[in-house]
């Protein structure tokens, strides 16, 4: 009788232990995690005290379109910046640290990167890691011309995830 019981229970062992393994990362779960990071703002510092920044803004046509006012020349003793932003640029101005503002630096929104689609989710051999490959799409603001940000540019990216504390987390750089 004991041998018969072992015979019937033996095939059930893999099923019992399968529940103890790590949970697979599903595509909807990966999408939910990536939604925490996207949309992502692409920011850019403008050095208002640098005449080269004024020239870049002029070359991009942002002064002609009314986003900025640039000085062509300055008088001796003029301590104001070469660049000032108009009300038209207000939606693109980002919060800038006080120390940067003191040095006449302003962060601006050059564009935004949105999650387009998940291409694949590959589970690691240990069941506790996963690699998610996905595509993003960028949408530039007028200031995106400064870094030649293309409208609708698609990039393929990867994210490394690790499972601990019964949940999936992004693997930070430098962690094993």
């Amino acid at each position: 009788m004991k041998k018969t019981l072992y015979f019937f229970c033996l095939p059930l062992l893999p099923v019992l232990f399968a529940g103890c393994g790590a949970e697979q990362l599903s595509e909807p779960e990966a999408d939910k995690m990536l939604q925490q990071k996207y949309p992502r703002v692409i920011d850019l510092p403008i050095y208002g005290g640098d005449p080269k920044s004024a020239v870049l803004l002029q070359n991009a046509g942002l002064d002609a379109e009314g986003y900025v006012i640039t000085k062509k020349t300055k008088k001796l003793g003029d301590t104001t910046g070469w660049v000032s932003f108009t009300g038209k640029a207000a939606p693109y101005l980002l919060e800038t640290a006080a120390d940067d503002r003191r040095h006449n630096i302003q962060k601006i929104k050059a564009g935004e990167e949105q999650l387009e689609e998940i291409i694949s989710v590959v589970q690691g051999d240990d069941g506790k890691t996963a690699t998610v490959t996905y595509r993003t799409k960028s949408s530039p603001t007028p200031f995106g011309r400064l870094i030649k940000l293309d409208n609708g540019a698609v990039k393929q990216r990867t994210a490394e995830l690790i499972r601990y504390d019964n949940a999936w987390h992004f693997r930070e750089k430098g962690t094993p």
Side-chain angles (χ1 to χ4, degrees):
M1 177 75 175
K2 275 186 176 180
K3 287 184 181 181
T4 307
L5 185 59
Y6 288 130
F7 180 74
F8 286 115
C9 290
L10 194 60
L12 294 176
L13 284 176
V15 174
L16 291 173
F17 287 113
C20 299
E23 188 178 315
Q24 295 282 356
L25 178 65
S26 67
E27 192 170 309
E29 192 175 5
D31 184 60
K32 183 179 175 185
M33 290 196 63
L34 287 171
Q35 291 294 340
Q36 296 171 15
K37 297 211 178 250
Y38 291 94
R40 181 182 73 84
V41 171
I42 302 167
D43 63 354
L44 179 69
I46 299 292
Y47 302 96
D50 184 7
K52 291 178 185 176
S53 290
V55 171
L56 285 174
L57 291 163
Q58 289 170 3
N59 291 343
L62 294 169
D63 62 337
E65 293 176 21
Y67 290 101
V68 296
I69 297 170
T70 58
K71 293 182 180 178
K72 311 276 188 273
T73 60
K74 284 176 46 169
K75 293 185 180 194
L76 191 62
D78 185 359
T79 59
T80 60
W82 289 90
V83 176
S84 58
F85 296 91
T86 66
K88 193 173 179 180
Y92 310 112
L93 300 179
L94 299 175
E95 190 169 326
T96 306
D99 191 44
D100 286 345
R101 283 196 310 270
R102 263 195 312 276
H103 292 100
N104 211 2
I105 298 170
Q106 173 65 52
K107 278 189 174 181
I108 56 150
K109 181 178 180 180
E112 192 172 81
E113 189 174 19
Q114 295 106 6
L115 179 63
E116 182 83 356
E117 70 175 323
I118 293 179
I119 299 169
S120 67
V121 177
V122 178
Q123 198 78 23
D125 291 338
D126 59 0
K128 295 181 182 179
T129 60
T131 302
V132 180
T133 305
Y134 61 98
R135 283 193 188 102
T136 61
K137 184 178 178 181
S138 63
S139 56
T141 68
F143 290 95
R145 287 181 241 155
L146 296 171
I147 56 171
K148 296 176 178 45
L149 188 62
D150 293 333
N151 189 17
V154 176
K155 290 184 180 179
Q156 185 167 313
R157 301 189 177 276
T158 59
E160 298 289 327
L161 289 99
I162 187 166
R163 185 170 177 80
Y164 60 90
D165 295 337
N166 293 323
W168 288 97
H169 304 276
F170 287 100
R171 177 182 275 178
E172 300 300 324
K173 293 185 188 227
T175 56

